[in-house]
Amino acid sequence: QVQLVESGGGLVQAGGSLRLSCAASGRSISTYVMGWFRQTPGKEREFVAAITLSGYSTSYGDSVKGRFTISRDNAKNTVYLQMNSLKPEDTAVYYCAAGWREPRDIWGQGTQVTVSS
């Protein structure tokens, strides 16, 4: 029922910052757990971050903890991923996801993030 569209990806130098947005349509995200995953060719999809319905609780993958921040604005029906201190290893396609218990039920199309050294 909900459709997700990511934006904000691009090319950034190592050490720089980027903010991804996930705009939802079709229905409110207020009833969904939201999250971000990333994937590179030949690699398994990697968990990046998740946020609960209220936004009070968040979780992060070990590789991004302390550098990335997930947030949500239910009024704007949008989820964000603030990425700081970017590393070349962060290069991937980043996917927004939604779910009733975990953010694994509905997926966006992905946005490319490339970090140069």
Side-chain angles (χ1 to χ4, degrees), residues 5-116:
V5 179
E6 303 94 334
S7 63
L11 176 64
V12 63
Q13 293 187 28
S17 298
L18 204 62
R19 188 177 78 158
L20 305 183
S21 298
C22 174
S25 62
R27 63 186 300 168
S28 175
I29 64 169
S30 62
T31 59
Y32 293 101
V33 176
M34 304 297 297
W36 291 91
F37 293 77
R38 66 187 184 184
Q39 188 169 28
T40 58
K43 302 291 185 179
E44 294 185 349
R45 186 180 63 236
E46 178 186 15
F47 170 74
V48 175
I51 187 167
T52 55
L53 304 185
S54 65
Y56 290 153
S57 180
T58 59
S59 61
Y60 298 92
D62 290 339
S63 63
V64 306
K65 191 182 299 292
R67 299 187 298 119
F68 291 10
T69 302
I70 186 173
S71 62
R72 66 191 297 159
D73 188 335
N74 289 345
K76 295 181 178 180
N77 226 27
T78 302
V79 180
Y80 305 95
L81 183 68
Q82 178 66 47
M83 304 184 294
N84 298 326
S85 301
L86 283 163
K87 307 174 181 179
E89 306 93 273
D90 296 319
T91 296
V93 177
Y94 284 71
Y95 296 91
C96 179
W100 296 272
R101 300 176 64 184
E102 295 181 295
R104 296 178 180 270
D105 299 314
I106 307 296
W107 297 85
Q109 86 290 343
T111 185
Q112 176 70 47
V113 172
T114 302
V115 183
S116 62

